[in-house]
Amino acid sequence: MAQQIKDSDRARQADQARHHARHPDHENILAQGGFVAVDIRAEIARLKSEPAWASGDRHGSSLVKGDGINVALMMLKKGAKLQEHHTRAPLTVQVIEGRINFIANGKTQLVTPGMLLALDRAIEHSIEAVEECAIVLTVGGEQM
């Protein structure tokens, strides 16, 4: 289990480092103009074309970042897991493609395309990809 957590942490840190290398000025995207429009399907296609997707079990990017909000697109291959963790603010998870198991408070919820799941801050949770999937994660609120 400890090795899985280390691998998950390394994968997440590598994704973050690649994003920051591509977008060093994106610490607060909203502050750069106050308006962002994202074509999620195009972003999914872009992520799938990158070497990080071919060589790993996940890949992602920040879609929107601003004071009090972070919206990320995460691609997971079948069987990939985001190990148990918590956030400092409420979050939502929306499945765009595929299916995931979202585990929180000892309960597992299957989340499929078109579903939106919300969770309060500080609640331990994890995600497992039932099949290859694309999910939009939004973390935001006063406690960020």
Side-chain angles (χ1 to χ4, degrees), residues 95-131:
V95 174
I96 306 300
E97 296 177 354
R99 298 179 300 150
I100 63 168
N101 280 326
F102 188 92
I103 302 102
N105 290 331
K107 297 178 184 175
T108 300
Q109 172 68 52
L110 179 66
V111 188
T112 59
M115 291 179 72
L116 177 72
L117 180 137
L119 188 69
D120 201 3
R121 67 179 157 268
I123 297 175
E124 295 287 329
H125 61 279
S126 61
I127 294 174
E128 179 177 2
V130 175
E131 57 193 36

Short mmCIF file of all heavy atoms in Angstrom, two decimals, residues 95-131:
data_model
loop_
_atom_site.label_atom_id
_atom_site.label_comp_id
_atom_site.label_asym_id
_atom_site.label_seq_id
_atom_site.Cartn_x
_atom_site.Cartn_y
_atom_site.Cartn_z
N VAL A 95 -17.91 12.96 -14.39
CA VAL A 95 -17.34 12.04 -15.35
C VAL A 95 -17.79 12.47 -16.75
O VAL A 95 -18.98 12.62 -17.02
CB VAL A 95 -17.78 10.58 -15.05
CG1 VAL A 95 -17.30 9.65 -16.15
CG2 VAL A 95 -17.23 10.14 -13.70
N ILE A 96 -16.81 12.66 -17.63
CA ILE A 96 -17.07 13.03 -19.02
C ILE A 96 -17.12 11.77 -19.89
O ILE A 96 -17.99 11.61 -20.73
CB ILE A 96 -16.00 14.00 -19.54
CG1 ILE A 96 -15.86 15.22 -18.63
CG2 ILE A 96 -16.30 14.41 -20.99
CD1 ILE A 96 -17.12 16.04 -18.46
N GLU A 97 -16.14 10.88 -19.67
CA GLU A 97 -16.05 9.61 -20.40
C GLU A 97 -15.71 8.51 -19.41
O GLU A 97 -14.97 8.76 -18.44
CB GLU A 97 -14.94 9.65 -21.46
CG GLU A 97 -15.13 10.63 -22.56
CD GLU A 97 -13.94 10.67 -23.53
OE1 GLU A 97 -12.92 9.99 -23.28
OE2 GLU A 97 -14.04 11.38 -24.53
N GLY A 98 -16.18 7.31 -19.63
CA GLY A 98 -15.81 6.17 -18.80
C GLY A 98 -16.60 6.10 -17.50
O GLY A 98 -17.64 6.74 -17.34
N ARG A 99 -16.07 5.30 -16.56
CA ARG A 99 -16.73 5.13 -15.25
C ARG A 99 -15.67 5.06 -14.17
O ARG A 99 -14.59 4.51 -14.39
CB ARG A 99 -17.55 3.84 -15.22
CG ARG A 99 -18.68 3.82 -16.22
CD ARG A 99 -19.47 2.52 -16.18
NE ARG A 99 -18.58 1.39 -16.47
CZ ARG A 99 -18.75 0.16 -15.99
NH1 ARG A 99 -19.75 -0.12 -15.20
NH2 ARG A 99 -17.92 -0.81 -16.32
N ILE A 100 -16.01 5.59 -12.99
CA ILE A 100 -15.12 5.51 -11.83
C ILE A 100 -15.88 5.01 -10.62
O ILE A 100 -17.10 5.15 -10.54
CB ILE A 100 -14.48 6.88 -11.48
CG1 ILE A 100 -15.56 7.91 -11.07
CG2 ILE A 100 -13.60 7.39 -12.61
CD1 ILE A 100 -15.01 9.18 -10.44
N ASN A 101 -15.15 4.45 -9.68
CA ASN A 101 -15.67 4.21 -8.34
C ASN A 101 -15.12 5.32 -7.47
O ASN A 101 -13.90 5.53 -7.42
CB ASN A 101 -15.22 2.85 -7.80
CG ASN A 101 -16.05 1.71 -8.34
OD1 ASN A 101 -17.25 1.86 -8.57
ND2 ASN A 101 -15.42 0.57 -8.55
N PHE A 102 -16.01 6.05 -6.81
CA PHE A 102 -15.63 7.11 -5.87
C PHE A 102 -15.91 6.56 -4.48
O PHE A 102 -17.04 6.18 -4.19
CB PHE A 102 -16.45 8.38 -6.14
CG PHE A 102 -15.97 9.56 -5.35
CD1 PHE A 102 -15.05 10.43 -5.89
CD2 PHE A 102 -16.45 9.79 -4.06
CE1 PHE A 102 -14.61 11.52 -5.16
CE2 PHE A 102 -16.02 10.88 -3.33
CZ PHE A 102 -15.08 11.75 -3.88
N ILE A 103 -14.88 6.50 -3.65
CA ILE A 103 -15.01 5.90 -2.33
C ILE A 103 -14.83 6.99 -1.27
O ILE A 103 -13.82 7.70 -1.27
CB ILE A 103 -13.98 4.78 -2.11
CG1 ILE A 103 -14.14 3.69 -3.18
CG2 ILE A 103 -14.13 4.15 -0.72
CD1 ILE A 103 -13.15 3.73 -4.27
N ALA A 104 -15.82 7.13 -0.39
CA ALA A 104 -15.76 8.10 0.72
C ALA A 104 -16.61 7.57 1.87
O ALA A 104 -17.68 6.98 1.64
CB ALA A 104 -16.27 9.47 0.27
N ASN A 105 -16.14 7.79 3.07
CA ASN A 105 -16.89 7.35 4.26
C ASN A 105 -17.25 5.87 4.21
O ASN A 105 -18.33 5.47 4.63
CB ASN A 105 -18.16 8.18 4.46
CG ASN A 105 -17.86 9.60 4.87
OD1 ASN A 105 -16.84 9.86 5.52
ND2 ASN A 105 -18.73 10.51 4.50
N GLY A 106 -16.36 5.06 3.65
CA GLY A 106 -16.60 3.63 3.60
C GLY A 106 -17.63 3.19 2.57
O GLY A 106 -17.99 2.02 2.52
N LYS A 107 -18.10 4.11 1.75
CA LYS A 107 -19.11 3.79 0.74
C LYS A 107 -18.53 4.01 -0.65
O LYS A 107 -17.78 4.96 -0.88
CB LYS A 107 -20.34 4.66 0.91
CG LYS A 107 -21.07 4.44 2.22
CD LYS A 107 -22.26 5.36 2.35
CE LYS A 107 -22.91 5.18 3.72
NZ LYS A 107 -23.99 6.13 3.93
N THR A 108 -18.92 3.14 -1.57
CA THR A 108 -18.47 3.25 -2.96
C THR A 108 -19.64 3.68 -3.83
O THR A 108 -20.71 3.10 -3.78
CB THR A 108 -17.93 1.90 -3.47
OG1 THR A 108 -16.82 1.51 -2.64
CG2 THR A 108 -17.47 2.00 -4.92
N GLN A 109 -19.41 4.72 -4.63
CA GLN A 109 -20.42 5.22 -5.56
C GLN A 109 -19.87 5.07 -6.98
O GLN A 109 -18.81 5.62 -7.29
CB GLN A 109 -20.72 6.69 -5.29
CG GLN A 109 -21.61 7.37 -6.32
CD GLN A 109 -23.03 6.84 -6.29
OE1 GLN A 109 -23.65 6.81 -5.24
NE2 GLN A 109 -23.54 6.44 -7.44
N LEU A 110 -20.58 4.32 -7.82
CA LEU A 110 -20.22 4.26 -9.23
C LEU A 110 -20.67 5.56 -9.87
O LEU A 110 -21.82 5.96 -9.75
CB LEU A 110 -20.90 3.06 -9.90
CG LEU A 110 -20.62 2.90 -11.40
CD1 LEU A 110 -19.15 2.57 -11.64
CD2 LEU A 110 -21.51 1.82 -11.98
N VAL A 111 -19.73 6.24 -10.56
CA VAL A 111 -20.04 7.52 -11.21
C VAL A 111 -19.83 7.32 -12.71
O VAL A 111 -18.77 6.89 -13.15
CB VAL A 111 -19.16 8.66 -10.67
CG1 VAL A 111 -19.62 10.01 -11.22
CG2 VAL A 111 -19.15 8.68 -9.14
N THR A 112 -20.86 7.64 -13.49
CA THR A 112 -20.87 7.42 -14.93
C THR A 112 -21.03 8.76 -15.66
O THR A 112 -21.36 9.77 -15.03
CB THR A 112 -22.00 6.45 -15.31
OG1 THR A 112 -23.26 7.02 -14.90
CG2 THR A 112 -21.83 5.10 -14.65
N PRO A 113 -20.82 8.78 -16.98
CA PRO A 113 -20.94 10.04 -17.72
C PRO A 113 -22.28 10.73 -17.46
O PRO A 113 -23.33 10.08 -17.43
CB PRO A 113 -20.82 9.61 -19.17
CG PRO A 113 -19.94 8.40 -19.11
CD PRO A 113 -20.40 7.68 -17.85
N GLY A 114 -22.20 12.02 -17.24
CA GLY A 114 -23.39 12.81 -16.97
C GLY A 114 -23.70 12.96 -15.49
O GLY A 114 -24.53 13.78 -15.12
N MET A 115 -23.02 12.18 -14.64
CA MET A 115 -23.26 12.30 -13.20
C MET A 115 -22.30 13.33 -12.60
O MET A 115 -21.18 13.50 -13.06
CB MET A 115 -23.05 10.96 -12.50
CG MET A 115 -24.10 9.92 -12.83
SD MET A 115 -23.80 8.34 -12.00
CE MET A 115 -24.20 8.76 -10.30
N LEU A 116 -22.78 13.99 -11.56
CA LEU A 116 -21.98 14.94 -10.80
C LEU A 116 -22.04 14.51 -9.34
O LEU A 116 -23.11 14.26 -8.81
CB LEU A 116 -22.55 16.36 -10.95
CG LEU A 116 -21.83 17.44 -10.15
CD1 LEU A 116 -20.46 17.73 -10.76
CD2 LEU A 116 -22.67 18.69 -10.09
N LEU A 117 -20.88 14.43 -8.73
CA LEU A 117 -20.78 14.04 -7.33
C LEU A 117 -20.16 15.21 -6.57
O LEU A 117 -19.24 15.86 -7.07
CB LEU A 117 -19.88 12.82 -7.24
CG LEU A 117 -19.64 12.22 -5.88
CD1 LEU A 117 -19.73 10.71 -5.98
CD2 LEU A 117 -18.31 12.65 -5.34
N ALA A 118 -20.65 15.50 -5.38
CA ALA A 118 -20.10 16.59 -4.56
C ALA A 118 -19.71 16.03 -3.20
O ALA A 118 -20.35 15.12 -2.67
CB ALA A 118 -21.12 17.71 -4.40
N LEU A 119 -18.64 16.60 -2.62
CA LEU A 119 -18.14 16.15 -1.33
C LEU A 119 -17.64 17.36 -0.55
O LEU A 119 -16.98 18.24 -1.11
CB LEU A 119 -16.98 15.16 -1.55
CG LEU A 119 -16.43 14.44 -0.34
CD1 LEU A 119 -17.45 13.45 0.22
CD2 LEU A 119 -15.14 13.72 -0.69
N ASP A 120 -17.94 17.39 0.72
CA ASP A 120 -17.49 18.48 1.57
C ASP A 120 -15.98 18.36 1.82
O ASP A 120 -15.38 17.31 1.61
CB ASP A 120 -18.25 18.48 2.90
CG ASP A 120 -18.21 19.82 3.61
OD1 ASP A 120 -17.64 20.79 3.05
OD2 ASP A 120 -18.75 19.91 4.72
N ARG A 121 -15.38 19.43 2.27
CA ARG A 121 -13.94 19.46 2.54
C ARG A 121 -13.59 18.49 3.68
O ARG A 121 -14.43 18.13 4.48
CB ARG A 121 -13.50 20.87 2.90
CG ARG A 121 -14.07 21.36 4.20
CD ARG A 121 -13.57 22.78 4.50
NE ARG A 121 -14.47 23.44 5.41
CZ ARG A 121 -15.49 24.20 5.03
NH1 ARG A 121 -15.72 24.40 3.76
NH2 ARG A 121 -16.26 24.76 5.93
N ALA A 122 -12.33 18.11 3.70
CA ALA A 122 -11.72 17.32 4.77
C ALA A 122 -12.25 15.90 4.89
O ALA A 122 -11.98 15.23 5.88
CB ALA A 122 -11.83 18.05 6.10
N ILE A 123 -12.98 15.41 3.91
CA ILE A 123 -13.46 14.03 3.95
C ILE A 123 -12.51 13.17 3.10
O ILE A 123 -12.28 13.45 1.93
CB ILE A 123 -14.91 13.91 3.42
CG1 ILE A 123 -15.85 14.70 4.33
CG2 ILE A 123 -15.33 12.45 3.32
CD1 ILE A 123 -17.28 14.77 3.83
N GLU A 124 -11.95 12.14 3.74
CA GLU A 124 -11.06 11.22 3.03
C GLU A 124 -11.82 10.54 1.90
O GLU A 124 -12.94 10.09 2.09
CB GLU A 124 -10.50 10.17 3.99
CG GLU A 124 -9.61 10.75 5.08
CD GLU A 124 -8.25 11.19 4.58
OE1 GLU A 124 -7.72 10.59 3.63
OE2 GLU A 124 -7.71 12.16 5.15
N HIS A 125 -11.18 10.48 0.74
CA HIS A 125 -11.82 9.85 -0.42
C HIS A 125 -10.74 9.33 -1.37
O HIS A 125 -9.58 9.73 -1.29
CB HIS A 125 -12.75 10.83 -1.15
CG HIS A 125 -12.04 12.03 -1.67
ND1 HIS A 125 -11.73 13.12 -0.88
CD2 HIS A 125 -11.55 12.31 -2.90
CE1 HIS A 125 -11.10 14.03 -1.60
NE2 HIS A 125 -10.97 13.56 -2.83
N SER A 126 -11.15 8.43 -2.25
CA SER A 126 -10.26 7.91 -3.28
C SER A 126 -11.08 7.64 -4.54
O SER A 126 -12.32 7.62 -4.50
CB SER A 126 -9.57 6.62 -2.80
OG SER A 126 -10.51 5.62 -2.52
N ILE A 127 -10.37 7.44 -5.64
CA ILE A 127 -11.02 7.19 -6.93
C ILE A 127 -10.31 6.03 -7.59
O ILE A 127 -9.08 5.94 -7.58
CB ILE A 127 -10.94 8.44 -7.84
CG1 ILE A 127 -11.77 9.58 -7.25
CG2 ILE A 127 -11.39 8.11 -9.26
CD1 ILE A 127 -11.64 10.89 -8.00
N GLU A 128 -11.10 5.15 -8.21
CA GLU A 128 -10.55 4.06 -9.01
C GLU A 128 -11.26 4.06 -10.36
O GLU A 128 -12.49 4.11 -10.42
CB GLU A 128 -10.75 2.71 -8.33
CG GLU A 128 -10.20 1.57 -9.15
CD GLU A 128 -10.33 0.23 -8.46
OE1 GLU A 128 -10.88 0.16 -7.35
OE2 GLU A 128 -9.89 -0.76 -9.06
N ALA A 129 -10.48 3.99 -11.44
CA ALA A 129 -11.05 3.96 -12.78
C ALA A 129 -11.54 2.55 -13.10
O ALA A 129 -10.75 1.61 -13.13
CB ALA A 129 -10.01 4.40 -13.81
N VAL A 130 -12.84 2.40 -13.31
CA VAL A 130 -13.43 1.13 -13.68
C VAL A 130 -13.08 0.82 -15.14
O VAL A 130 -12.89 -0.33 -15.52
CB VAL A 130 -14.96 1.15 -13.48
CG1 VAL A 130 -15.62 -0.12 -13.98
CG2 VAL A 130 -15.29 1.41 -12.01
N GLU A 131 -12.96 1.87 -15.93
CA GLU A 131 -12.52 1.78 -17.32
C GLU A 131 -11.82 3.09 -17.64
O GLU A 131 -11.83 4.02 -16.83
CB GLU A 131 -13.71 1.54 -18.26
CG GLU A 131 -14.79 2.58 -18.18
CD GLU A 131 -16.09 2.16 -18.87
OE1 GLU A 131 -16.43 0.96 -18.82
OE2 GLU A 131 -16.74 3.03 -19.45
#
